[in-house]
Amino acid sequence: MRRLLLPLICVLLIVPLGAQSADPSQSTQAPAPGQQARDLVLAPKNKPLETSTAVPRGYALVVGISQYEKLDESRQLRFPESDAEAFYRVLINHEGGAFPAENVHFLKGSQATLANIKRELEGWLPSVAKPSDRVVVYFAGHGFVQNGRGFLAPYDVDPAQLETTAYPMTTLGDIIANKIGAGWKVLLTDACHSGKVNSETTNEALEEQFKSLP
């Protein structure tokens, strides 16, 4: 059974009007007695309103892992890779996210090693994202807790050495909040605990880890 622990769907609509309040002397009709003037923004005479139709530049990292290199069959997952593929297609679709395909890096299965995830999160995204950009990070795979610390599991995670072979959620939160400079950022995780890696990994423990991210 899969559980979506941190669904974050954010829609940002910005319509800059780009015009100052009209000069009261330009008004063709004064408010009726007892009627308050309304907050209307009027374009100067013979000059249309300037509105921005540009879509902010977008970058994304999509990670999906179903089969893990060092986990036994009972701990393998079924859907994360197909879910990640579907999300990738939505992002690059012109009627979806409209992200340029070259701006969406997709790590699937054996590609989603700890080294590759670190390279994308800690190197690539901070180097390309600017304040006017939007960034999405999507992870589908195992999430777990050990010694009170939450982790996301890369393809090559070793259950016997979680501290050194998994990606800490505290690091993930710090990178997204403080290192990636985009002004619009979304983290979506489908961190499954079916076939959980250890006894500490429960719905409540994972959810608490995600809630504590900056």
Side-chain angles (χ1 to χ4, degrees), residues 137-206:
V137 175
Y138 174 94
F139 178 89
H142 265 302
F144 49 88
V145 178
Q146 178 173 278
N147 298 326
R149 298 183 63 203
F151 298 88
L152 297 181
Y155 168 76
D156 51 349
V157 68
D158 182 349
Q161 302 181 59
L162 298 179
E163 294 280 345
T164 57
T165 64
Y167 198 83
M169 292 184 192
T170 52
T171 302
L172 176 68
D174 178 60
I175 293 296
I176 294 178
N178 303 314
K179 302 297 192 302
I180 297 174
W184 189 93
K185 294 173 277 192
V186 174
L187 167 66
L188 299 104
T189 62
D190 188 353
C192 197
H193 79 279
S194 58
K196 60 187 178 181
V197 176
N198 59 29
S199 59
E200 286 185 70
T201 303
T202 64
N203 289 345
E204 293 76 19
L206 276 173

Side-chain angles (χ1 to χ4, degrees), residues 12 29 36 42-43 76 79 122 158 166 201:
L12 181 66
Q29 183 177 356
Q36 294 182 345
L42 304 179
Q76 304 296 347
F79 302 107
E122 301 176 17
D158 182 349
T201 303

Side-chain angles (χ1 to χ4, degrees), residues 61-135:
L61 172 62
V62 177
V63 180
I65 313 164
S66 295
Q67 299 295 305
Y68 282 82
E69 181 182 30
K70 298 173 184 176
L71 299 186
D72 59 43
E73 188 59 34
S74 66
R75 295 172 174 175
Q76 304 296 347
L77 305 174
R78 292 180 58 192
F79 302 107
E81 291 179 18
S82 58
D83 289 349
E85 286 178 351
F87 188 73
Y88 170 80
R89 290 194 297 270
V90 169
L91 281 180
I92 65 173
N93 188 283
H94 181 71
E95 296 179 352
F99 283 55
E102 62 271 19
N103 288 4
V104 182
H105 290 193
F106 184 14
L107 298 178
K108 176 183 175 182
S110 60
Q111 299 172 331
T113 62
L114 178 60
N116 287 345
I117 291 174
K118 290 180 67 173
R119 184 191 69 239
E120 301 294 338
L121 278 174
E122 301 176 17
W124 175 61
L125 281 175
S127 72
V128 295
K130 301 298 186 288
S132 59
D133 296 337
R134 51 192 176 139
V135 164

